[in-house]
Amino acid sequence: MFKDNLNQLRKYKQLTQEELAEKVGVTRQAIAKWEAGETVPDLERCRMLAEIFEVSLDDLANYEPSSNFELGVPPKGKHIFGVVTVGDKGQIVIPAKARKLFSIKPQDELVVLGDETQGLALLKSDSFLQMADMIQEIRKTKQ
């Protein structure tokens, strides 16, 4: 996984092995060995690579594209959880990884927002209401 992610990210950023080596402080041969899976960098070099590519260290080392998409490592804080199927009444099942990451539990309330050009978004209702209250307070102070 690491070797594939490193190779994909380097190419996405349009960096040669030599250019990446210079940024990380190693030789071009070291980068070639990492991409071939012959060796792996130390933790500090991995951290530097994650910063250069703007991805999480975990995704750099462990990211595997889902079977539904052939997309590469996502930017830090961005996630693709896969495809869900809409049921007869419009219901969907939120993938387990997403429920865990966002602490979504049974009986939680979600706000569904929509933009005809960008799609749908789900937000926890308590977070959304806190944000709405904050905006309302700001508007009151400006009047």
Side-chain angles (χ1 to χ4, degrees):
M1 288 178 281
F2 173 82
K3 68 184 184 91
D4 297 328
N5 293 338
L6 177 61
N7 185 273
Q8 177 258 320
L9 289 164
R10 180 182 60 77
K11 289 178 180 177
Y12 177 76
K13 289 280 189 175
Q14 299 179 334
L15 293 170
T16 65
Q17 288 181 341
E18 192 167 311
E19 290 168 332
L20 182 58
E22 188 175 309
K23 289 178 180 285
V24 181
V26 297
T27 64
R28 182 203 57 77
Q29 290 83 354
I31 300 293
K33 285 182 179 184
W34 297 345
E35 288 185 358
E38 294 174 20
T39 61
V40 292
D42 62 35
L43 188 56
E44 181 59 23
R45 297 279 192 264
C46 286
R47 186 192 61 73
M48 291 171 73
L49 290 166
E51 285 180 10
I52 289 166
F53 297 128
E54 300 175 16
V55 299
S56 73
L57 188 54
D58 183 53
D59 279 344
L60 175 64
N62 300 311
Y63 181 79
E64 288 186 70
S66 75
S67 58
N68 299 323
F69 298 105
E70 288 302 320
L71 300 175
V73 181
K76 193 181 293 186
K78 309 292 183 195
H79 306 274
I80 297 175
F81 296 106
V83 174
V84 297
T85 302
V86 178
D88 293 339
K89 296 182 181 180
Q91 69 274 32
I92 63 167
V93 174
I94 299 170
K97 187 175 177 183
R99 291 193 312 267
K100 182 178 178 184
L101 180 67
F102 293 102
S103 301
I104 298 171
K105 297 177 252 10
Q107 307 307 311
D108 279 355
E109 293 182 339
L110 303 175
V111 175
V112 180
L113 302 175
D115 179 308
E116 291 183 13
T117 61
Q118 302 218 1
L120 295 172
L122 298 174
L123 299 165
K124 284 185 135 182
S125 63
D126 54 349
S127 299
F128 178 76
L129 293 173
Q130 286 174 350
M131 183 176 61
D133 288 343
M134 194 170 65
I135 292 169
Q136 196 170 32
E137 288 299 316
I138 291 170
R139 290 181 77 192
K140 283 180 185 177
T141 59
K142 289 186 176 186
Q143 292 177 351

